Amino acid sequence: MENKVVVEKEVDMIPLMTPYKMGNFELSHRVVLAPLTRQRSYGNIPQSHAILYYSQRSTKGGLLIGEATVISETGIGYKDVPGIWTKEQVEAWKPIVNAVHAKGGIFFLSNLASRNAIEAGFDGVEIHGANGFLIDQFMKDQINDRNDKYGGSLENRCRFALEIVEAVANEIGSDRVGIRISPFTNLYESGDTNPSALGLYMVESLNKYDIAYCHVVEPMMKSIECDESLVPLRKAFKGTFIVAGGYDREDGNRAVIEDRADLVAYGRLFISNPDLPKRFELNAPLNKYIRETFYTSEPIVGYTDYPILETMT
């Protein structure tokens, strides 16, 4: 039985809880579940405990972005990450997707296997172009040392990412496609000498594809001084702009109020607070996350056992 915390219901309508229309999708609020690797898909097959995990975090009209999912056996980089290249994996995803849809949620999956994701029932696909993985490596000049049409100039380095966007959009429709980029990060030594120019070029180039959204990782965590800003990218991109990177309730509200973002993605806070949108709405206390259980194989502890609220009217 789930742990519950009882709070008095005192609704405080805040910017994060206002409706938003993302292309063909009607969102009831602006709190997004970020794509979070949890390493609980044994043998790369989504498990039944993921049904509860994603269902707990589903709300009517809420956007969830599923964890980064492998599209081929050769692409496995971590133990027990989910795959979607086999029929068995596609079938294993279906009850998870159904559970999210049963609660009225909108579910995108972070991967490139667009056809399989749609077959599994997902509403769309988020192309993983961030955090030092393959697409990000093509874009960054400190790691891309190619001398062909995919290397050298900014245009060439971004070519691979944009060709993927076009191919996926052609396959499933641009309204079902999002992309996540992190021009300012340096994960796995994937850095760039001019991340502002890289980010701006990418979002301006993405405009012609009319995709569902662009999801951008902030250039800093709150504790690090940094002069870079996502505002120029936000102004240049014509579609839905999602930001992520250490936001709390106050930061998220401010980002929406100041028109620096349409939606705000949450990771660690959503792990420890399956009912995060409700807690934000009520300004209720938040559970503290336990970092040590982020990537354990345990199907319950640190996964589906965080307390939820029980409101009293």
Side-chain angles (χ1 to χ4, degrees), residues 43-44 69-78 81-86 89:
N44 307 116
T69 302
V70 184
I71 62 172
S72 72
E73 191 169 5
T74 58
I76 299 172
Y78 300 97
V81 292
I84 197 167
W85 74 86
T86 70
Q89 292 164 340

mmCIF file of all heavy atoms in Angstrom, residues 43-44 69-78 81-86 89:
data_model
loop_
_atom_site.group_PDB
_atom_site.id
_atom_site.type_symbol
_atom_site.label_atom_id
_atom_site.label_comp_id
_atom_site.label_asym_id
_atom_site.label_seq_id
_atom_site.Cartn_x
_atom_site.Cartn_y
_atom_site.Cartn_z
ATOM 1 N N GLY A 43 17.252 -7.193 -18.381
ATOM 2 C CA GLY A 43 17.445 -7.761 -19.701
ATOM 3 C C GLY A 43 16.983 -6.853 -20.812
ATOM 4 O O GLY A 43 16.668 -7.313 -21.908
ATOM 5 N N ASN A 44 16.918 -5.540 -20.520
ATOM 6 C CA ASN A 44 16.490 -4.513 -21.480
ATOM 7 C C ASN A 44 15.025 -4.628 -21.885
ATOM 8 O O ASN A 44 14.607 -4.093 -22.911
ATOM 9 C CB ASN A 44 17.379 -4.537 -22.731
ATOM 10 C CG ASN A 44 18.853 -4.441 -22.404
ATOM 11 O OD1 ASN A 44 19.607 -5.371 -22.667
ATOM 12 N ND2 ASN A 44 19.262 -3.345 -21.800
ATOM 13 N N THR A 69 15.602 5.160 -24.229
ATOM 14 C CA THR A 69 15.368 3.761 -24.567
ATOM 15 C C THR A 69 16.236 3.352 -25.751
ATOM 16 O O THR A 69 16.316 4.066 -26.757
ATOM 17 C CB THR A 69 13.873 3.555 -24.895
ATOM 18 O OG1 THR A 69 13.103 3.956 -23.750
ATOM 19 C CG2 THR A 69 13.573 2.107 -25.206
ATOM 20 N N VAL A 70 16.874 2.204 -25.613
ATOM 21 C CA VAL A 70 17.833 1.721 -26.606
ATOM 22 C C VAL A 70 17.097 1.208 -27.845
ATOM 23 O O VAL A 70 16.053 0.552 -27.740
ATOM 24 C CB VAL A 70 18.702 0.600 -26.013
ATOM 25 C CG1 VAL A 70 19.762 0.158 -27.013
ATOM 26 C CG2 VAL A 70 19.380 1.090 -24.731
ATOM 27 N N ILE A 71 17.653 1.484 -29.020
ATOM 28 C CA ILE A 71 16.990 1.092 -30.268
ATOM 29 C C ILE A 71 17.697 -0.057 -30.977
ATOM 30 O O ILE A 71 17.234 -0.513 -32.019
ATOM 31 C CB ILE A 71 16.863 2.286 -31.228
ATOM 32 C CG1 ILE A 71 18.240 2.832 -31.625
ATOM 33 C CG2 ILE A 71 16.015 3.376 -30.596
ATOM 34 C CD1 ILE A 71 18.190 3.877 -32.708
ATOM 35 N N SER A 72 18.809 -0.536 -30.427
ATOM 36 C CA SER A 72 19.485 -1.711 -30.990
ATOM 37 C C SER A 72 20.386 -2.307 -29.925
ATOM 38 O O SER A 72 20.810 -1.611 -28.993
ATOM 39 C CB SER A 72 20.315 -1.359 -32.229
ATOM 40 O OG SER A 72 21.469 -0.642 -31.866
ATOM 41 N N GLU A 73 20.681 -3.577 -30.068
ATOM 42 C CA GLU A 73 21.514 -4.257 -29.076
ATOM 43 C C GLU A 73 22.907 -3.642 -28.992
ATOM 44 O O GLU A 73 23.514 -3.601 -27.923
ATOM 45 C CB GLU A 73 21.615 -5.741 -29.416
ATOM 46 C CG GLU A 73 22.221 -6.580 -28.314
ATOM 47 C CD GLU A 73 22.073 -8.064 -28.573
ATOM 48 O OE1 GLU A 73 21.588 -8.444 -29.659
ATOM 49 O OE2 GLU A 73 22.445 -8.854 -27.685
ATOM 50 N N THR A 74 23.402 -3.124 -30.095
ATOM 51 C CA THR A 74 24.735 -2.519 -30.100
ATOM 52 C C THR A 74 24.755 -1.159 -29.407
ATOM 53 O O THR A 74 25.822 -0.620 -29.145
ATOM 54 C CB THR A 74 25.245 -2.346 -31.540
ATOM 55 O OG1 THR A 74 24.314 -1.541 -32.285
ATOM 56 C CG2 THR A 74 25.400 -3.691 -32.222
ATOM 57 N N GLY A 75 23.575 -0.605 -29.112
ATOM 58 C CA GLY A 75 23.511 0.711 -28.494
ATOM 59 C C GLY A 75 23.399 0.692 -26.984
ATOM 60 O O GLY A 75 23.258 1.737 -26.359
ATOM 61 N N ILE A 76 23.463 -0.496 -26.378
ATOM 62 C CA ILE A 76 23.325 -0.601 -24.922
ATOM 63 C C ILE A 76 24.547 -0.003 -24.243
ATOM 64 O O ILE A 76 25.672 -0.452 -24.446
ATOM 65 C CB ILE A 76 23.150 -2.070 -24.485
ATOM 66 C CG1 ILE A 76 21.896 -2.659 -25.118
ATOM 67 C CG2 ILE A 76 23.076 -2.172 -22.972
ATOM 68 C CD1 ILE A 76 21.752 -4.156 -24.902
ATOM 69 N N GLY A 77 24.327 1.021 -23.427
ATOM 70 C CA GLY A 77 25.435 1.667 -22.727
ATOM 71 C C GLY A 77 25.427 1.463 -21.238
ATOM 72 O O GLY A 77 26.445 1.656 -20.564
ATOM 73 N N TYR A 78 24.265 1.087 -20.690
ATOM 74 C CA TYR A 78 24.122 0.883 -19.259
ATOM 75 C C TYR A 78 23.338 -0.394 -19.006
ATOM 76 O O TYR A 78 22.556 -0.840 -19.849
ATOM 77 C CB TYR A 78 23.377 2.056 -18.603
ATOM 78 C CG TYR A 78 24.058 3.387 -18.756
ATOM 79 C CD1 TYR A 78 23.676 4.270 -19.765
ATOM 80 C CD2 TYR A 78 25.078 3.770 -17.895
ATOM 81 C CE1 TYR A 78 24.294 5.499 -19.914
ATOM 82 C CE2 TYR A 78 25.704 5.001 -18.034
ATOM 83 C CZ TYR A 78 25.311 5.861 -19.046
ATOM 84 O OH TYR A 78 25.928 7.073 -19.184
ATOM 85 N N VAL A 81 18.773 -0.895 -18.993
ATOM 86 C CA VAL A 81 17.994 0.201 -19.579
ATOM 87 C C VAL A 81 17.000 -0.421 -20.555
ATOM 88 O O VAL A 81 17.277 -1.456 -21.164
ATOM 89 C CB VAL A 81 18.894 1.223 -20.295
ATOM 90 C CG1 VAL A 81 19.745 1.974 -19.299
ATOM 91 C CG2 VAL A 81 19.753 0.548 -21.350
ATOM 92 N N PRO A 82 15.821 0.162 -20.732
ATOM 93 C CA PRO A 82 14.816 -0.458 -21.600
ATOM 94 C C PRO A 82 15.192 -0.364 -23.071
ATOM 95 O O PRO A 82 15.881 0.563 -23.496
ATOM 96 C CB PRO A 82 13.548 0.350 -21.307
ATOM 97 C CG PRO A 82 14.055 1.681 -20.871
ATOM 98 C CD PRO A 82 15.323 1.411 -20.127
ATOM 99 N N GLY A 83 14.730 -1.331 -23.833
ATOM 100 C CA GLY A 83 14.912 -1.303 -25.273
ATOM 101 C C GLY A 83 13.561 -1.275 -25.961
ATOM 102 O O GLY A 83 12.511 -1.444 -25.334
ATOM 103 N N ILE A 84 13.596 -1.048 -27.272
ATOM 104 C CA ILE A 84 12.350 -1.071 -28.038
ATOM 105 C C ILE A 84 12.623 -1.543 -29.464
ATOM 106 O O ILE A 84 11.916 -1.175 -30.403
ATOM 107 C CB ILE A 84 11.667 0.323 -28.002
ATOM 108 C CG1 ILE A 84 10.188 0.224 -28.418
ATOM 109 C CG2 ILE A 84 12.452 1.328 -28.852
ATOM 110 C CD1 ILE A 84 9.369 1.451 -28.123
ATOM 111 N N TRP A 85 13.657 -2.405 -29.618
ATOM 112 C CA TRP A 85 13.979 -2.898 -30.956
ATOM 113 C C TRP A 85 13.388 -4.271 -31.257
ATOM 114 O O TRP A 85 13.420 -4.709 -32.395
ATOM 115 C CB TRP A 85 15.492 -2.890 -31.170
ATOM 116 C CG TRP A 85 16.251 -3.980 -30.450
ATOM 117 C CD1 TRP A 85 16.482 -5.261 -30.902
ATOM 118 C CD2 TRP A 85 16.890 -3.890 -29.181
ATOM 119 N NE1 TRP A 85 17.228 -5.964 -29.988
ATOM 120 C CE2 TRP A 85 17.498 -5.150 -28.916
ATOM 121 C CE3 TRP A 85 17.028 -2.871 -28.235
ATOM 122 C CZ2 TRP A 85 18.216 -5.408 -27.752
ATOM 123 C CZ3 TRP A 85 17.742 -3.132 -27.077
ATOM 124 C CH2 TRP A 85 18.318 -4.376 -26.845
ATOM 125 N N THR A 86 12.850 -4.946 -30.234
ATOM 126 C CA THR A 86 12.254 -6.262 -30.474
ATOM 127 C C THR A 86 10.750 -6.214 -30.240
ATOM 128 O O THR A 86 10.229 -5.316 -29.558
ATOM 129 C CB THR A 86 12.857 -7.328 -29.546
ATOM 130 O OG1 THR A 86 12.418 -7.092 -28.201
ATOM 131 C CG2 THR A 86 14.379 -7.315 -29.599
ATOM 132 N N GLN A 89 9.895 -6.315 -26.537
ATOM 133 C CA GLN A 89 10.043 -5.027 -25.854
ATOM 134 C C GLN A 89 8.867 -4.098 -26.159
ATOM 135 O O GLN A 89 8.347 -3.419 -25.266
ATOM 136 C CB GLN A 89 11.367 -4.376 -26.270
ATOM 137 C CG GLN A 89 12.588 -5.114 -25.749
ATOM 138 C CD GLN A 89 13.857 -4.701 -26.475
ATOM 139 O OE1 GLN A 89 13.817 -4.156 -27.589
ATOM 140 N NE2 GLN A 89 15.005 -4.969 -25.865
#
